[in-house]
Amino acid sequence: MTHPILPPRFGEPYLLTPGPLTTSAAVKEAMLRDWGSWDGDFRAMTAEMRARLLAMLGEGAGAFDCVPMQGSGTFAVEAMLGTFLPPDGKALVLANGAYGLRAANILRCMGRDHVVLDKGDYLPPRGEEVAGILAGDPSITHVLAVHCETSSGILNPVEEIAEAVAGAGRKLLIDAMSSFGAIDLPPATVPYEAIVSSANKCIEGVPGFGFVLARRDALEAAKGNCHSLSLDLHAQWAHMERTGQWRFTPPTHAVAAFLEALKAHEAEGGVAGRGARYARNRDVMVEGMRALGFETLLEACWLSPIIVTFFCPADPRFAFPRFYDLMKQKGFIIYPGKLTVVDSFRIGCIGQMDEEVMARAVRTAGEALTEMGVATAVPPETALKERARLAA
Ligand SMILES: *Cc1c(COP(=O)(O)O)cnc(C)c1O
């Protein structure tokens, strides 16, 4: 079925960013009333939200439960790591960007034993490497993988990683923050212990909380593991099971908005429908940007339908801050790059946008280049050499 995409109201720019992102009018309107956190109506909303998220997990979801957690996505990552990794456990963190490194940083702050496989700005961690590290270190109990590493936009090969982790008898935790709801990862085919995401990414809600979908036996076994009072997922889960309530003040308005977003997600055809729209957004945008001379950091097979990194053009008349301002004036907020080696920027494909909006964003980028006096957006030689590393 078709899903009406309406422009943001009040002349707001589109957020071509990986969350917070452009939300629908219905999502914003759902926040125009107050809810009592203890009241039965809000408890029913929490229960419906948890059930809908579990259903979204796909085949194998029966063994799982859903635990929401107040805060931004990082709070939920910290809750997942602190709850499932026992104090005497050891984690292998697979990093190829800011979010993998952040997970390692969380473990360092918590004082939990860990090793990091750091692949740099964007090279993907592969199943074979993971198998090798696990074979060489039997003390590793858990592996953390990032599904879509939003820093570069790469879609990491979690299927082969999950196979390597399960093959070695260890447990996998997945940061699927920016992919959950748009890319399927059913636990029946990709074995994992827990997966984490948040309200303001592919489900298209507003920021305020994250959620962890975890095996029920893992939740039961995690009692007493957590270093933190408020980030203890076992405690939150046990309390919610018993009372239907969140342990501490819930983000009531964000939950009401999220329920509206979940209904729209279902109406769009669930994970498949949402993922298909984002993939079309990406394809139209990447094709248009390439026609302007821009090049993507990643080869086609690694491009996620979530966010795409482009090299900045070689032309010295191009300056990202000016490009950003021109795009914003014309209605589109883009995202700076996070690469350490070459200059780049990012354009997100998620949120209340369709291919028509993406085509307009590309036309706007062309106008911005013209205003800057940039004839072609072709990147410097060094950028293309950098990209060749991925193919090698
Ligand atoms: C957005 C995101 C997070 C969480 O970031 P917050 O700013 O704390 O919401 C974590 N991991 C990935 C891969 C993300 O895209």
Side-chain angles (χ1 to χ4, degrees), residues 200-223:
N200 60 280
K201 304 245 170 161
C202 295
I203 318 279
E204 302 185 354
V206 302
F209 64 98
F211 48 88
V212 176
L213 297 150
R215 302 188 64 87
R216 219 173 285 110
D217 54 9
L219 278 163
E220 271 155 15
K223 187 173 182 179

PDB file of all heavy atoms in Angstrom, residues 200-223:
ATOM      1  N   ASN A 200      14.168   6.975  17.779  1.00  0.00           N
ATOM      2  CA  ASN A 200      14.260   8.027  16.763  1.00  0.00           C
ATOM      3  C   ASN A 200      15.068   7.640  15.537  1.00  0.00           C
ATOM      4  O   ASN A 200      15.693   8.475  14.899  1.00  0.00           O
ATOM      5  CB  ASN A 200      14.849   9.303  17.380  1.00  0.00           C
ATOM      6  CG  ASN A 200      16.232   9.071  17.940  1.00  0.00           C
ATOM      7  OD1 ASN A 200      16.374   8.549  19.043  1.00  0.00           O
ATOM      8  ND2 ASN A 200      17.252   9.407  17.193  1.00  0.00           N
ATOM      9  N   LYS A 201      15.076   6.347  15.189  1.00  0.00           N
ATOM     10  CA  LYS A 201      15.777   5.938  13.970  1.00  0.00           C
ATOM     11  C   LYS A 201      14.736   5.389  12.993  1.00  0.00           C
ATOM     12  O   LYS A 201      13.808   6.112  12.663  1.00  0.00           O
ATOM     13  CB  LYS A 201      16.906   4.986  14.313  1.00  0.00           C
ATOM     14  CG  LYS A 201      17.876   5.612  15.327  1.00  0.00           C
ATOM     15  CD  LYS A 201      19.277   5.858  14.826  1.00  0.00           C
ATOM     16  CE  LYS A 201      20.067   6.691  15.812  1.00  0.00           C
ATOM     17  NZ  LYS A 201      21.505   6.622  15.635  1.00  0.00           N
ATOM     18  N   CYS A 202      14.857   4.120  12.582  1.00  0.00           N
ATOM     19  CA  CYS A 202      14.017   3.650  11.465  1.00  0.00           C
ATOM     20  C   CYS A 202      12.534   3.500  11.800  1.00  0.00           C
ATOM     21  O   CYS A 202      11.720   3.352  10.897  1.00  0.00           O
ATOM     22  CB  CYS A 202      14.559   2.346  10.915  1.00  0.00           C
ATOM     23  SG  CYS A 202      16.188   2.543  10.179  1.00  0.00           S
ATOM     24  N   ILE A 203      12.162   3.510  13.066  1.00  0.00           N
ATOM     25  CA  ILE A 203      10.731   3.462  13.382  1.00  0.00           C
ATOM     26  C   ILE A 203      10.128   4.863  13.230  1.00  0.00           C
ATOM     27  O   ILE A 203       8.921   5.025  13.201  1.00  0.00           O
ATOM     28  CB  ILE A 203      10.473   2.915  14.816  1.00  0.00           C
ATOM     29  CG1 ILE A 203      11.375   1.729  15.136  1.00  0.00           C
ATOM     30  CG2 ILE A 203       9.005   2.556  15.022  1.00  0.00           C
ATOM     31  CD1 ILE A 203      10.967   0.401  14.619  1.00  0.00           C
ATOM     32  N   GLU A 204      10.995   5.880  13.182  1.00  0.00           N
ATOM     33  CA  GLU A 204      10.576   7.264  12.928  1.00  0.00           C
ATOM     34  C   GLU A 204       9.760   7.873  14.072  1.00  0.00           C
ATOM     35  O   GLU A 204       8.766   8.568  13.853  1.00  0.00           O
ATOM     36  CB  GLU A 204       9.829   7.371  11.575  1.00  0.00           C
ATOM     37  CG  GLU A 204      10.692   6.893  10.404  1.00  0.00           C
ATOM     38  CD  GLU A 204      10.034   7.089   9.033  1.00  0.00           C
ATOM     39  OE1 GLU A 204       8.858   7.482   8.956  1.00  0.00           O
ATOM     40  OE2 GLU A 204      10.725   6.845   8.028  1.00  0.00           O
ATOM     41  N   GLY A 205      10.187   7.600  15.298  1.00  0.00           N
ATOM     42  CA  GLY A 205       9.623   8.274  16.469  1.00  0.00           C
ATOM     43  C   GLY A 205      10.499   9.459  16.857  1.00  0.00           C
ATOM     44  O   GLY A 205      11.420   9.829  16.125  1.00  0.00           O
ATOM     45  N   VAL A 206      10.192  10.038  18.010  1.00  0.00           N
ATOM     46  CA  VAL A 206      11.016  11.151  18.504  1.00  0.00           C
ATOM     47  C   VAL A 206      11.998  10.599  19.549  1.00  0.00           C
ATOM     48  O   VAL A 206      11.756   9.545  20.135  1.00  0.00           O
ATOM     49  CB  VAL A 206      10.148  12.291  19.095  1.00  0.00           C
ATOM     50  CG1 VAL A 206       9.169  12.804  18.063  1.00  0.00           C
ATOM     51  CG2 VAL A 206       9.425  11.848  20.358  1.00  0.00           C
ATOM     52  N   PRO A 207      13.101  11.321  19.814  1.00  0.00           N
ATOM     53  CA  PRO A 207      14.080  10.825  20.785  1.00  0.00           C
ATOM     54  C   PRO A 207      13.507  10.774  22.197  1.00  0.00           C
ATOM     55  O   PRO A 207      12.569  11.499  22.523  1.00  0.00           O
ATOM     56  CB  PRO A 207      15.216  11.853  20.719  1.00  0.00           C
ATOM     57  CG  PRO A 207      14.924  12.776  19.608  1.00  0.00           C
ATOM     58  CD  PRO A 207      13.504  12.603  19.209  1.00  0.00           C
ATOM     59  N   GLY A 208      14.070   9.921  23.032  1.00  0.00           N
ATOM     60  CA  GLY A 208      13.648   9.850  24.426  1.00  0.00           C
ATOM     61  C   GLY A 208      13.911   8.505  25.083  1.00  0.00           C
ATOM     62  O   GLY A 208      14.031   8.413  26.292  1.00  0.00           O
ATOM     63  N   PHE A 209      14.019   7.457  24.262  1.00  0.00           N
ATOM     64  CA  PHE A 209      14.299   6.146  24.865  1.00  0.00           C
ATOM     65  C   PHE A 209      14.842   5.184  23.812  1.00  0.00           C
ATOM     66  O   PHE A 209      14.752   5.436  22.613  1.00  0.00           O
ATOM     67  CB  PHE A 209      13.046   5.549  25.525  1.00  0.00           C
ATOM     68  CG  PHE A 209      11.926   5.234  24.580  1.00  0.00           C
ATOM     69  CD1 PHE A 209      11.745   3.940  24.099  1.00  0.00           C
ATOM     70  CD2 PHE A 209      11.039   6.224  24.178  1.00  0.00           C
ATOM     71  CE1 PHE A 209      10.702   3.646  23.223  1.00  0.00           C
ATOM     72  CE2 PHE A 209       9.988   5.933  23.303  1.00  0.00           C
ATOM     73  CZ  PHE A 209       9.825   4.640  22.823  1.00  0.00           C
ATOM     74  N   GLY A 210      15.438   4.120  24.321  1.00  0.00           N
ATOM     75  CA  GLY A 210      15.894   3.014  23.473  1.00  0.00           C
ATOM     76  C   GLY A 210      15.190   1.752  23.921  1.00  0.00           C
ATOM     77  O   GLY A 210      14.376   1.777  24.849  1.00  0.00           O
ATOM     78  N   PHE A 211      15.485   0.653  23.259  1.00  0.00           N
ATOM     79  CA  PHE A 211      14.896  -0.620  23.688  1.00  0.00           C
ATOM     80  C   PHE A 211      15.844  -1.747  23.323  1.00  0.00           C
ATOM     81  O   PHE A 211      16.588  -1.659  22.347  1.00  0.00           O
ATOM     82  CB  PHE A 211      13.509  -0.838  23.050  1.00  0.00           C
ATOM     83  CG  PHE A 211      13.473  -0.600  21.573  1.00  0.00           C
ATOM     84  CD1 PHE A 211      13.771  -1.621  20.688  1.00  0.00           C
ATOM     85  CD2 PHE A 211      13.169   0.659  21.065  1.00  0.00           C
ATOM     86  CE1 PHE A 211      13.746  -1.393  19.316  1.00  0.00           C
ATOM     87  CE2 PHE A 211      13.149   0.891  19.688  1.00  0.00           C
ATOM     88  CZ  PHE A 211      13.439  -0.142  18.818  1.00  0.00           C
ATOM     89  N   VAL A 212      15.824  -2.775  24.177  1.00  0.00           N
ATOM     90  CA  VAL A 212      16.656  -3.945  23.945  1.00  0.00           C
ATOM     91  C   VAL A 212      15.721  -5.138  23.794  1.00  0.00           C
ATOM     92  O   VAL A 212      14.800  -5.325  24.599  1.00  0.00           O
ATOM     93  CB  VAL A 212      17.634  -4.166  25.120  1.00  0.00           C
ATOM     94  CG1 VAL A 212      18.431  -5.447  24.929  1.00  0.00           C
ATOM     95  CG2 VAL A 212      18.573  -2.959  25.256  1.00  0.00           C
ATOM     96  N   LEU A 213      15.931  -5.916  22.740  1.00  0.00           N
ATOM     97  CA  LEU A 213      15.197  -7.165  22.561  1.00  0.00           C
ATOM     98  C   LEU A 213      16.193  -8.259  22.891  1.00  0.00           C
ATOM     99  O   LEU A 213      17.239  -8.367  22.245  1.00  0.00           O
ATOM    100  CB  LEU A 213      14.683  -7.280  21.127  1.00  0.00           C
ATOM    101  CG  LEU A 213      13.672  -6.183  20.768  1.00  0.00           C
ATOM    102  CD1 LEU A 213      13.717  -5.849  19.292  1.00  0.00           C
ATOM    103  CD2 LEU A 213      12.277  -6.587  21.168  1.00  0.00           C
ATOM    104  N   ALA A 214      15.870  -9.022  23.933  1.00  0.00           N
ATOM    105  CA  ALA A 214      16.839  -9.990  24.440  1.00  0.00           C
ATOM    106  C   ALA A 214      16.176 -11.333  24.690  1.00  0.00           C
ATOM    107  O   ALA A 214      14.971 -11.407  24.946  1.00  0.00           O
ATOM    108  CB  ALA A 214      17.448  -9.479  25.745  1.00  0.00           C
ATOM    109  N   ARG A 215      16.975 -12.389  24.612  1.00  0.00           N
ATOM    110  CA  ARG A 215      16.457 -13.715  24.937  1.00  0.00           C
ATOM    111  C   ARG A 215      15.994 -13.702  26.401  1.00  0.00           C
ATOM    112  O   ARG A 215      16.680 -13.178  27.272  1.00  0.00           O
ATOM    113  CB  ARG A 215      17.546 -14.778  24.750  1.00  0.00           C
ATOM    114  CG  ARG A 215      18.126 -14.832  23.335  1.00  0.00           C
ATOM    115  CD  ARG A 215      19.043 -16.041  23.191  1.00  0.00           C
ATOM    116  NE  ARG A 215      18.276 -17.258  23.344  1.00  0.00           N
ATOM    117  CZ  ARG A 215      17.644 -17.874  22.343  1.00  0.00           C
ATOM    118  NH1 ARG A 215      17.731 -17.407  21.116  1.00  0.00           N
ATOM    119  NH2 ARG A 215      16.933 -18.953  22.561  1.00  0.00           N
ATOM    120  N   ARG A 216      14.846 -14.304  26.630  1.00  0.00           N
ATOM    121  CA  ARG A 216      14.287 -14.284  27.983  1.00  0.00           C
ATOM    122  C   ARG A 216      15.218 -15.017  28.965  1.00  0.00           C
ATOM    123  O   ARG A 216      15.411 -14.570  30.095  1.00  0.00           O
ATOM    124  CB  ARG A 216      12.881 -14.895  27.986  1.00  0.00           C
ATOM    125  CG  ARG A 216      11.924 -14.147  28.907  1.00  0.00           C
ATOM    126  CD  ARG A 216      10.492 -14.636  28.801  1.00  0.00           C
ATOM    127  NE  ARG A 216       9.837 -14.192  27.595  1.00  0.00           N
ATOM    128  CZ  ARG A 216       9.497 -14.975  26.571  1.00  0.00           C
ATOM    129  NH1 ARG A 216       9.754 -16.267  26.601  1.00  0.00           N
ATOM    130  NH2 ARG A 216       8.906 -14.482  25.514  1.00  0.00           N
ATOM    131  N   ASP A 217      15.842 -16.109  28.494  1.00  0.00           N
ATOM    132  CA  ASP A 217      16.745 -16.834  29.412  1.00  0.00           C
ATOM    133  C   ASP A 217      17.972 -15.982  29.754  1.00  0.00           C
ATOM    134  O   ASP A 217      18.493 -16.057  30.871  1.00  0.00           O
ATOM    135  CB  ASP A 217      17.125 -18.232  28.873  1.00  0.00           C
ATOM    136  CG  ASP A 217      17.706 -18.203  27.471  1.00  0.00           C
ATOM    137  OD1 ASP A 217      17.990 -17.097  26.948  1.00  0.00           O
ATOM    138  OD2 ASP A 217      17.893 -19.284  26.881  1.00  0.00           O
ATOM    139  N   ALA A 218      18.390 -15.146  28.811  1.00  0.00           N
ATOM    140  CA  ALA A 218      19.535 -14.260  29.084  1.00  0.00           C
ATOM    141  C   ALA A 218      19.143 -13.183  30.093  1.00  0.00           C
ATOM    142  O   ALA A 218      19.927 -12.836  30.983  1.00  0.00           O
ATOM    143  CB  ALA A 218      20.021 -13.623  27.786  1.00  0.00           C
ATOM    144  N   LEU A 219      17.910 -12.674  29.952  1.00  0.00           N
ATOM    145  CA  LEU A 219      17.437 -11.668  30.914  1.00  0.00           C
ATOM    146  C   LEU A 219      17.375 -12.275  32.315  1.00  0.00           C
ATOM    147  O   LEU A 219      17.812 -11.667  33.294  1.00  0.00           O
ATOM    148  CB  LEU A 219      16.052 -11.154  30.502  1.00  0.00           C
ATOM    149  CG  LEU A 219      16.030 -10.068  29.430  1.00  0.00           C
ATOM    150  CD1 LEU A 219      14.648  -9.928  28.816  1.00  0.00           C
ATOM    151  CD2 LEU A 219      16.494  -8.725  30.006  1.00  0.00           C
ATOM    152  N   GLU A 220      16.857 -13.503  32.386  1.00  0.00           N
ATOM    153  CA  GLU A 220      16.756 -14.162  33.695  1.00  0.00           C
ATOM    154  C   GLU A 220      18.135 -14.367  34.309  1.00  0.00           C
ATOM    155  O   GLU A 220      18.331 -14.153  35.508  1.00  0.00           O
ATOM    156  CB  GLU A 220      16.038 -15.514  33.548  1.00  0.00           C
ATOM    157  CG  GLU A 220      14.540 -15.380  33.702  1.00  0.00           C
ATOM    158  CD  GLU A 220      13.751 -16.490  33.000  1.00  0.00           C
ATOM    159  OE1 GLU A 220      14.349 -17.526  32.619  1.00  0.00           O
ATOM    160  OE2 GLU A 220      12.528 -16.294  32.820  1.00  0.00           O
ATOM    161  N   ALA A 221      19.094 -14.758  33.473  1.00  0.00           N
ATOM    162  CA  ALA A 221      20.444 -15.059  33.981  1.00  0.00           C
ATOM    163  C   ALA A 221      21.229 -13.806  34.346  1.00  0.00           C
ATOM    164  O   ALA A 221      22.271 -13.886  34.988  1.00  0.00           O
ATOM    165  CB  ALA A 221      21.215 -15.865  32.931  1.00  0.00           C
ATOM    166  N   ALA A 222      20.724 -12.624  33.930  1.00  0.00           N
ATOM    167  CA  ALA A 222      21.514 -11.389  34.077  1.00  0.00           C
ATOM    168  C   ALA A 222      21.309 -10.689  35.414  1.00  0.00           C
ATOM    169  O   ALA A 222      21.905  -9.635  35.652  1.00  0.00           O
ATOM    170  CB  ALA A 222      21.179 -10.429  32.938  1.00  0.00           C
ATOM    171  N   LYS A 223      20.507 -11.274  36.270  1.00  0.00           N
ATOM    172  CA  LYS A 223      20.229 -10.622  37.558  1.00  0.00           C
ATOM    173  C   LYS A 223      21.528 -10.355  38.333  1.00  0.00           C
ATOM    174  O   LYS A 223      22.354 -11.241  38.504  1.00  0.00           O
ATOM    175  CB  LYS A 223      19.306 -11.512  38.402  1.00  0.00           C
ATOM    176  CG  LYS A 223      18.848 -10.826  39.664  1.00  0.00           C
ATOM    177  CD  LYS A 223      17.809 -11.647  40.400  1.00  0.00           C
ATOM    178  CE  LYS A 223      17.357 -10.864  41.631  1.00  0.00           C
ATOM    179  NZ  LYS A 223      16.340 -11.569  42.385  1.00  0.00           N
TER     180      LYS A 223
END
